[in-house]
Amino acid sequence: MDEVTANISFDKYPDMPEFYGSGAAKYRLAMVKDRSDFLDLFEGARHVDAVTYAETPELMVKMLTEYDIGSLDVLIGNSDDYAERVNEVATAKSLVQLRQDDRLTIRLKNQKTVHSKIYRIVMPDETVKLVHGSANLSRNSWEYHTNQIAVLTTEVGTELDAELKRFIDEYREGYSDQTLMEGLVEALEEADSPEERENRIEYWVGAGDLDVSDTAALNQDAVEDLKEIADQVTAVIDDPDEADETVAFVEEPEKADRSVVEPSDVDEPEVERADAVDEAPDVGLVESDNETGLTDGNHPVRFTNEGLRLDHKPENAIEWYVKIPHHEDYHLWIPAQPNPEQRGWLEALNAGDATMGESRLFERDGTWYLHVTATRNVEERSEASADERTAIGVDIGEASLVTVCHRDDHGSPTAPKLWADEGKTVRQLRKTYFTATRRLQTHGSEHIPESFGEDVWNQIDDLFHRVTREVVEYAESVENPVLVLEDLTYMRESMDYGEYMNRRLHGWGFAKLHAQIRYKAVEKGIPVETVNPRNTSRECHACGEVGYRPKQATFTCTNDACWMGEYQADVNGAINIADRYLSGESHSREDTDGDDSAEDGGRLTAPQDTQADAETQQETLGTYAS
Ligand SMILES: [Zn+2]
């Protein structure tokens, strides 16, 4: 027997509505073999509330259009990385459009698993079908299974209907804490132009990634704007009259609103740091007769190693801040523009792998500089010459966060290693951050603690540190290794290579990963070289022809004479990078750009007056504090 039907009336007990409610319902218990038979229940519905499962959001888009459904509000169970499944710009667009038209809301459960299937299908004639059973919306579950459903048909607003609606509402409160596309829809509402809308959709889908602040990075203009604002907010300016507030760096603190101290031991009071940045006023300097202090390059302000802190906020457009203690428990926050070549040092300091010594703040030709001394231990580099070395290509990518590979003694690619799960984790974390900060900006911080963004970025940072440590360990397992990276200075210039490059440069904290690999390699005495990155991801490592990537993870060689055909795309890229070093294309443009370069191999290994195995290196970090 496939089906049972019955008519249930609640009107027989009008004096006991607390038990039976009002209205009547038709009851139907049925076995359903085809997904389409099940979906027929939804045909022409005015509105559907549901708690269920569907493997992709596309299925729901299809349902809405093919079954002529007015609107659908669905809580999806077991939906880890659901947003990850929106990979097509076109799908994202229709999802956004449906959402903006209030036709589709997809609520995602977080952590808790929902296995229930409940549907409330409101028809245009004001009848409502209340459905429960085993049937979900996914295709998979219909291939091998027969589902059973119970349908109660009643009128909208009867107590039975209201009860079921309340039941669904409780699910939504208890299980759901974000809705699919929410961050994107809000971001789109703020977009100024169709192009920007397009960018933001591409970005969300993952076809246009940017690092720094996800919000700021939505387009380059926003980044520039932010820079300007941040500079204004915390700029140290010469003319105290123009300042909102003055700080004395010199002997006449009574003339200042606040004074800078040169502390020896400063307790680190936990000031709300974000607030401190937001509210930091323009700071003027008090002129003094006997000493001009900061306005005179000869009399810089010195800080002991206790006096000053570097702070790193990868989520902001300006990533590095210098925190100067002054006035007991306040800090002056200055956005700093570090020399890109010194990023390795900053990463090392930030990770506690280098220690900060004395620092000086001074002005030269209208620009403020902060010199920081930093120390770290490095191992001596082996004496192997360039052609004795094994080149390990390091590819930073999207599908795989980092991929390394090298060629064995016979020239065959060997021991490829991919950090693919980590790539996925970072994408998820960034998406979570993006959605949550949007919510925070729009709705206040009811459900999201203020430290949320920092937590997410700390997780990303920890993961980066683990991966870069493992990359260096990989190199240590190879005889006479040299790590070969793509040259970031070329990368910066090659923005017009197109979207792909752009995406790689911004999307993956490219500079951050490179800097961490560099300083960790130097610590172990492993040389790092850079090569021109042009087409490393598009050329075939076997024949050199430019091929294409039918899928993100696959490289296809189009040369008929080439044996290769298809190859893992990231590994192909890594081998190309290694080969460029081997073919002598290596250069150290990135390294020699700045005199202070921490990665300048010569400077790091040259000192003769060193202890036995570990050399102590000192470098001056020239950091602009503007
Ligand atoms: Zn080929």
Side-chain angles (χ1 to χ4, degrees):
M1 186 166 65
D2 277 358
E3 191 148 328
V4 179
T5 57
N7 289 314
I8 302 168
S9 169
F10 300 110
D11 290 334
K12 285 180 185 167
Y13 309 97
D15 48 336
M16 293 160 71
E18 65 271 29
F19 293 117
Y20 301 101
S22 64
K26 182 173 179 288
Y27 177 77
R28 175 181 161 224
L29 177 68
M31 303 278 273
V32 189
K33 292 183 181 102
D34 285 335
R35 185 172 177 268
S36 62
D37 288 342
F38 172 61
L39 292 180
D40 282 344
L41 282 171
F42 296 83
E43 177 92 55
R46 177 161 65 77
H47 177 75
V48 177
D49 291 306
V51 176
T52 186
Y53 178 72
E55 65 263 46
T56 69
E58 281 95 328
L59 284 176
M60 283 170 279
V61 175
K62 280 200 175 133
M63 247 183 90
L64 282 171
T65 47
E66 287 173 17
Y67 289 85
D68 193 26
I69 297 170
S71 55
L72 171 64
D73 184 329
V74 58
L75 169 62
I76 292 297
N78 189 23
S79 69
D80 290 329
D81 57 23
Y82 210 62
E84 284 287 306
R85 291 173 214 176
V86 186
N87 295 316
E88 300 292 327
V89 172
T91 310
K93 277 185 184 167
S94 19
L95 283 167
V96 164
Q97 193 55 54
L98 287 165
R99 210 197 130 103
Q100 281 178 328
D101 296 344
D102 277 331
R103 290 190 61 201
L104 178 61
T105 303
I106 299 175
R107 300 167 194 263
L108 305 175
K109 69 94 195 158
N110 197 356
Q111 279 148 7
K112 289 182 187 169
T113 298
V114 184
H115 197 60
S116 314
K117 286 97 192 171
I118 311 162
Y119 309 85
R120 178 174 174 270
I121 306 167
V122 181
M123 303 306 290
D125 65 359
E126 296 299 298
T127 58
V128 58
K129 290 180 254 189
L130 309 173
V131 185
H132 59 270
S134 64
N136 67 30
L137 300 176
S138 72
R139 289 192 198 284
N140 291 343
S141 73
W142 292 91
E143 262 176 43
Y144 306 108
H145 305 292
T146 295
N147 286 283
Q148 153 267 311
I149 54 167
V151 186
L152 285 157
T153 306
T154 180
E155 273 165 34
V156 173
T158 57
E159 288 202 19
L160 185 63
D161 176 41
E163 252 340 293
L164 195 107
K165 200 165 180 297
R166 258 197 298 279
F167 196 62
I168 292 177
D169 282 345
E170 268 172 42
Y171 265 101
R172 287 176 184 165
E173 276 173 32
Y175 289 86
S176 159
D177 56 10
Q178 55 173 309
T179 57
L180 187 68
M181 326 295 287
E182 183 172 68
L184 179 60
V185 168
E186 281 160 13
L188 292 179
E189 277 161 10
E190 290 161 25
D192 295 328
S193 62
E195 293 77 34
E196 204 179 318
R197 273 180 66 95
E198 199 81 5
N199 285 343
R200 290 180 181 202
I201 291 175
E202 281 179 14
Y203 165 75
W204 192 91
V205 171
D209 272 350
L210 297 156
D211 75 345
V212 291
S213 150
D214 281 332
T215 317
L218 285 170
N219 65 55
Q220 208 53 40
D221 292 346
V223 174
E224 292 307 317
D225 287 347
L226 248 173
K227 272 186 183 160
E228 238 172 70
I229 291 161
D231 278 348
Q232 282 166 11
V233 170
T234 50
V236 176
I237 56 174
D238 292 312
D239 183 359
D241 291 337
E242 286 180 10
D244 302 331
E245 183 174 19
T246 53
V247 172
F249 285 86
V250 289
E251 300 291 19
E252 295 184 307
E254 66 277 5
K255 284 195 179 175
D257 303 326
R258 291 186 283 161
S259 60
V260 165
V261 291
E262 282 189 47
S264 42
D265 349 83
V266 180
D267 291 332
E268 278 249 67
E270 278 309 312
V271 212
E272 295 94 301
R273 308 200 296 174
D275 290 354
V277 173
D278 290 338
E279 290 167 17
D282 284 357
V283 175
L285 302 171
V286 173
E287 292 288 343
S288 161
D289 288 338
N290 37 21
E291 198 182 351
T292 50
L294 277 177
T295 54
D296 179 352
N298 296 323
H299 294 92
V301 175
R302 286 177 198 281
F303 296 94
T304 66
N305 57 357
E306 294 294 313
L308 182 145
R309 291 275 181 279
L310 271 182
D311 199 58
H312 182 37
K313 291 187 167 294
E315 70 271 33
N316 286 2
I318 296 185
E319 290 185 51
W320 300 95
Y321 293 83
V322 178
K323 185 164 74 167
I324 300 171
H326 65 108
H327 199 276
E328 292 171 359
D329 42 275
Y330 290 95
H331 291 88
L332 180 65
W333 286 71
I334 304 179
Q337 192 72 62
N339 196 333
E341 282 73 36
Q342 293 172 333
R343 174 135 199 166
W345 277 98
L346 293 171
E347 291 287 346
L349 279 170
N350 198 46
D353 290 335
T355 52
M356 201 192 284
E358 200 182 79
S359 338
R360 290 180 306 134
L361 182 64
F362 64 95
E363 188 249 334
R364 188 178 291 155
D365 301 329
T367 305
W368 287 92
Y369 294 89
L370 178 75
H371 272 198
V372 176
T373 49
T375 311
R376 62 180 161 158
N377 293 326
V378 301
E379 276 174 32
E380 204 140 1
R381 204 161 122 172
S382 85
E383 295 300 316
S385 67
D387 47 3
E388 289 167 333
R389 293 202 177 270
T390 305
I392 299 162
V394 181
D395 183 78
I396 312 269
E398 291 173 87
S400 174
L401 184 60
V402 178
T403 304
V404 294
C405 192
H406 67 280
R407 288 184 185 269
D408 64 16
D409 295 343
H410 310 289
S412 306
T414 184
K417 185 166 166 64
L418 292 90
W419 284 264
D421 289 346
E422 286 82 356
K424 191 179 168 196
T425 306
V426 173
R427 281 202 302 280
Q428 277 167 4
L429 284 170
R430 292 176 63 253
K431 213 160 257 183
T432 311
Y433 173 80
F434 179 72
T435 309
T437 48
R438 279 279 152 192
R439 282 170 66 104
L440 201 61
Q441 282 162 12
T442 339
H443 309 300
S445 55
E446 301 160 58
H447 303 298
I448 305 161
E450 275 185 48
S451 57
F452 176 83
E454 215 157 297
D455 292 345
V456 172
W457 282 98
N458 285 339
Q459 286 179 55
I460 294 177
D461 209 40
D462 289 350
L463 188 143
F464 275 23
H465 276 293
R466 174 170 63 75
V467 171
T468 52
R469 200 175 56 239
E470 287 169 7
V471 167
V472 173
E473 282 166 11
Y474 176 99
E476 286 182 290
S477 73
V478 170
E479 207 178 343
N480 288 327
V482 52
L483 282 163
V484 187
L485 308 177
E486 293 173 290
D487 190 324
L488 281 177
T489 55
Y490 271 107
M491 301 292 287
R492 281 181 217 111
E493 285 165 15
S494 61
M495 295 295 267
D496 59 358
Y497 272 25
E499 195 196 318
Y500 177 70
M501 278 300 207
N502 233 315
R503 214 192 297 171
R504 294 178 67 205
L505 185 58
H506 291 293
W508 288 110
F510 206 103
K512 200 170 167 58
L513 285 164
H514 265 195
Q516 289 184 5
I517 290 170
R518 282 169 168 277
Y519 92 74
K520 286 172 191 177
V522 170
E523 277 178 359
K524 300 291 181 190
I526 296 169
V528 177
E529 295 290 345
T530 54
V531 295
N532 187 335
R534 185 167 192 127
N535 281 349
T536 47
S537 60
R538 299 178 60 218
E539 278 174 15
C540 169
H541 75 264
C543 70
E545 284 262 314
V546 170
Y548 69 103
R549 294 171 79 149
K551 284 180 287 184
Q552 198 167 46
T554 310
F555 173 83
T556 301
C557 180
T558 45
N559 180 0
D560 292 338
C562 176
W563 59 267
M564 204 179 79
E566 285 196 346
Y567 210 82
Q568 210 291 334
D570 297 306
V571 178
N572 181 60
I575 302 166
N576 280 332
I577 292 166
D579 286 355
R580 285 196 191 182
Y581 170 82
L582 297 172
S583 67
E585 265 189 59
S586 154
H587 58 96
S588 47
R589 190 171 142 189
E590 200 178 323
D591 298 341
T592 51
D593 251 12
D595 288 339
D596 288 335
S597 172
E599 275 71 38
D600 181 354
R603 286 181 67 117
L604 283 170
T605 50
Q608 305 299 310
D609 54 339
T610 54
Q611 299 102 319
D613 353 272
E615 301 174 338
T616 300
Q617 283 298 310
Q618 286 229 344
E619 289 278 338
T620 299
L621 300 181
T623 303
Y624 303 95
S626 55

